[in-house]
Amino acid sequence: MTIMPADLPLSSTGIAEDVQEAVNEVFPLFESVQKLARLGVSVAFEVAPSRIVATIKVTADAVKVLPALLEEIDDTRPGQLPDGQLVVTGSMCQGTVTLRVLIPQEWVTPEELAVLTGTATADPSHLL
């Protein structure tokens, strides 16, 4: 998937058609999103020219889904946001989509997060 910024002026009709097309494509995702919400996972998308950022928030009740989720993310890197929130960054869709997974503070330490994301070596079996 390649995302190219639009350099051409858009007509109001073209914009309306693009919005309608986006809405039509989103509705089939509704069931999957509802399943995630029931598990305690939320996803927010930020779309800009040549860039998509998905922020995935996992609640403490949903941490069991975290290892499988992190396994699907390329180039995972654990870190902390300025407010101390633990976060895993990575990408998906051939590096086109940037992902941020927010981790519940009470669930793991930064060291344990490094083990789960494969950036440190240890036996993670006691973490799950």
Side-chain angles (χ1 to χ4, degrees):
M1 172 194 303
T2 302
I3 299 174
M4 303 282 291
D7 293 334
L8 302 173
L10 295 174
S11 69
S12 58
T13 303
I15 291 170
E17 289 172 358
D18 286 346
V19 169
Q20 181 64 42
E21 185 178 323
V23 169
N24 290 340
E25 290 179 4
V26 166
F27 269 104
L29 298 175
F30 184 74
E31 186 177 343
S32 296
V33 171
Q34 288 300 301
K35 288 178 185 175
L36 288 173
R38 283 192 292 275
L39 289 171
V41 177
S42 64
V43 183
F45 288 97
E46 177 186 327
V47 180
S50 302
R51 181 176 171 201
I52 298 173
V53 176
T55 301
I56 302 164
K57 185 174 182 179
V58 180
T59 65
D61 293 336
V63 293
K64 61 184 174 290
V65 305
L66 200 52
L69 178 62
L70 296 180
E71 199 172 292
E72 294 299 317
I73 299 174
D74 299 325
D75 305 320
T76 56
R77 295 171 304 281
Q80 285 184 291
L81 297 177
D83 64 0
Q85 172 82 50
L86 294 174
V87 65
V88 173
T89 57
S91 64
M92 198 173 271
C93 297
Q94 301 173 354
T96 303
V97 179
T98 302
L99 296 158
R100 287 189 296 237
V101 182
L102 302 180
I103 310 297
Q105 289 293 98
E106 63 276 7
W107 189 60
V108 294
T109 65
E111 294 76 23
E112 291 169 329
L113 189 58
V115 171
L116 287 172
T117 56
T119 56
T121 305
D123 177 14
S125 61
H126 70 285
L127 302 177
L128 304 177

